[in-house]
Amino acid sequence: MSGIREEIVIVGGGLAGASVACTLARAGRPALLMERDPEPRHKVCGEFLSVEAQAYLAHLGIDLDYLGASRISLLRLFLGRDMAEADLPFVARGLSRRILDEALLQEARHGGARVVRDMPARSLSCDGGRIRVEAGSLGEIHADTLFLATGKHDLRGAKRQSAGSIDDLIGFKLHYSLAEDQRRALDGVIEVLLFTGGYAGLQMIEGGLANLCLVVSKRRFEQVGKSWDGLIDHIARECPHLNERLQGAEPVFERPLSIFQIPYGFLHAPDPAEPQNLFRLGDQAGVIPSFTGDGMSIALHSGCLAASTFLSLGHASTVFHRRIQADIRRQVRLASFMNRVVRQATGRRMVFGLCRAWPAAMRHVAALTRVEDASMRRALAAS
Ligand SMILES: Cc1cc2nc3c(=O)[nH]c(=O)nc-3n(C[C@H](O)[C@H](O)[C@H](O)COP(=O)(O)OP(=O)(O)OC[C@H]3O[C@@H](n4cnc5c(N)ncnc54)[C@H](O)[C@@H]3O)c2cc1C
């Protein structure tokens, strides 16, 4: 057998990969974590941390105050020129993924994990209970156990079966330095704008910056000329509020980040015929639409749950995949349904009307798309 042998390999150093690395390291089982990016980078994400995500991060040793995360306690929903408001049932936090993901990887390193950057896995194959990872300059790695946490990116040899998911949306993100009066007006608030073809979220993150993150259908993006400026004009024509917020704002990146073909609604089907030493985490286990969803806490939950399942049962990935499905199935389905509803003009009006008449409705729907307390307690107690 040529190549290196490793007991535990984690592919992907996002929230799911870093959380499993931290948990295993604490239990005295340090892993090799391969991350393809040479350095911390920005990722397409609304960067809204729910109370569940915060609980996982605190458990993993992350101090959000120290990292400068903003505080968010009010939701404003916009449709055309109309606005509805509701208090959030918790104080959410806003922090860029560049800072957050690196802080978690640092935590994993301190615990003893070997985090190797600039190390993309090229492909994966399973051979008689041992998993072989083709790893560029490291050559071939033979892993006794593999945690697959590559997020939205599929790895050759382990592609997700995502047929039937919603895959016509494009995600964008751009950070802005807002004008002083607009920064003050956005402080403590997440603003969600519903528009034809998609929806956008605007909130403060660390360092006095604002994050504008949105999803739009491929068709609408083509209709507005396939440009960011065309897209912003389209949204601002429908929701003039965006013009006000971006008045005098300076973009922080040269161009927005984007992600295509997000398989919203995907859920990995547990299969006892799969290798029992291959655990799929985060967006490799399930992809929740971002509007009402809580993708970061699901990623963190999956990391802690996979580690605790492995530590207690060993090579029992089907048990883990069944548990994670049971924990997130309802949330992913409801968020996918909401996603479909708000993409229709009548659906948008209905949702907006309901939220304006009954602000608590927003809280109820959001609560139903989150990881439940009992599931969290189970994963946290064991990890
Ligand atoms: C538009 C949009 C907005 C969102 N907004 C929010 C939000 O506000 N709040 C929220 O909770 N969730 C949000 N989410 C969801 C959240 O971003 C994801 O659910 C979460 O990032 C999943 O974490 P992960 O660790 O599975 O994947 P990722 O965070 O994508 O991490 C995967 C990692 O694997 C690495 N990688 C990929 N391929 C390889 C390879 N071959 N070899 C080595 N490394 C590799 C990548 O570089 C990356 O670091 C949003 C998602 C989208 C698309």
Side-chain angles (χ1 to χ4, degrees), residues 130-164:
R130 186 150 295 167
I131 298 174
R132 207 167 55 223
V133 183
E134 189 53 55
S137 60
L138 275 187
E140 235 175 51
I141 298 177
H142 299 261
D144 293 343
T145 307
L146 190 122
F147 293 91
L148 186 62
T150 51
K152 313 219 164 34
H153 311 277
D154 279 330
L155 188 57
R156 195 143 47 89
K159 278 200 172 20
R160 287 169 297 182
Q161 304 297 320
S162 56

Side-chain angles (χ1 to χ4, degrees), residues 10-19 33-37 41 43-50 53 97 101 105 116-117 119-123 148-156 170-173 190 203 211 213-215 259 262 264 281-291 293-300 302 370:
I10 301 165
V11 182
L15 299 183
S19 57
L33 185 151
M34 300 165 57
E35 166 54 49
R36 66 174 188 176
D37 290 331
R41 69 167 172 97
K43 290 177 177 166
V44 178
C45 184
E47 302 176 332
F48 176 89
L49 288 162
S50 67
R97 292 293 301 275
D101 290 28
L105 285 179
V116 189
R117 282 194 169 277
M119 190 50 65
R122 308 246 182 252
S123 66
L148 186 62
T150 51
K152 313 219 164 34
H153 311 277
D154 279 330
L155 188 57
R156 195 143 47 89
I170 310 174
F172 288 99
K173 166 176 121 171
I190 172 149
Q203 64 171 58
N211 179 16
C213 182
L214 60 92
V215 290
I259 183 161
I262 315 158
Y264 278 151
L281 314 180
D283 283 353
Q284 288 289 314
V287 183
I288 189 160
S290 354
F291 179 57
D294 196 12
M296 288 196 272
S297 82
I298 290 179
L300 294 162
S302 71
R370 308 213 169 279

